[in-house]
Amino acid sequence: STFNRDWKAAAANPSPASSIEGRWEGKWLSDHNGHNGRLRALIRRLDNGQYETRFHAKYGGILSFGMQVNLDVKPAGGLWQFSGEENLGKSYGMYRYEGKASATNFFSTYKASFDHGTFQMTRPKP
């Protein structure tokens, strides 16, 4: 995975406060089974207006997994509202994301056929 390399490189380019783009970190929580762990994300705007969002999550402190989704993002009263879905294959199925972000806080729900929960993140400290 190139996530860690890209995460470090993105630290050199701070994100403008007027954008959802850039680095985010926090935690994920499954409302289905209580599993949780560290979560990081890299968000960048694509030419088609969507935002590529790469998530990197930890579970149990040792297992890690990544996922990517293109989000549709719309400004809404000083915030950004977003939604998107990604088919993660036969093992995981369709994941749907919906949430909102400010310049400093990111909150999303996720839903899949076998799991649902939340992502909560903030901007990492420099």
Side-chain angles (χ1 to χ4, degrees):
S1 168
T2 62
F3 187 90
N4 287 330
R5 183 188 71 216
D6 295 344
W7 176 263
K8 289 176 186 173
N13 299 312
S15 302
S18 61
S19 174
I20 193 174
E21 292 180 276
R23 300 182 337 147
W24 295 90
E25 66 181 355
K27 62 183 185 174
W28 63 274
L29 170 65
S30 169
D31 294 334
H32 172 71
N33 57 26
H35 293 170
N36 64 85
R38 180 179 180 205
L39 178 67
R40 294 183 296 162
L42 289 168
I43 301 175
R44 72 178 180 99
R45 189 174 196 278
L46 300 173
D47 291 340
N48 67 4
Q50 290 186 312
Y51 288 75
E52 175 190 80
T53 305
R54 295 168 55 202
F55 294 108
H56 188 265
K58 288 275 191 180
Y59 172 67
I62 55 170
L63 299 175
S64 65
F65 57 94
M67 60 193 118
Q68 179 176 317
V69 63
N70 289 346
L71 297 174
D72 294 312
V73 178
K74 296 182 176 146
L79 300 173
W80 295 278
Q81 291 185 332
F82 55 84
S83 63
E85 62 182 30
E86 187 69 27
N87 188 338
L88 298 180
K90 199 173 196 177
S91 298
Y92 298 103
M94 184 68 72
Y95 267 74
R96 291 180 175 80
Y97 303 88
E98 189 172 302
K100 60 186 173 184
S102 69
T104 58
N105 294 289
F106 180 105
F107 177 84
S108 177
T109 59
Y110 70 88
K111 295 178 184 173
S113 59
F114 65 92
D115 194 14
H116 61 280
T118 57
F119 292 167
Q120 292 188 16
M121 297 182 290
T122 59
R123 296 288 191 178
K125 297 188 193 256

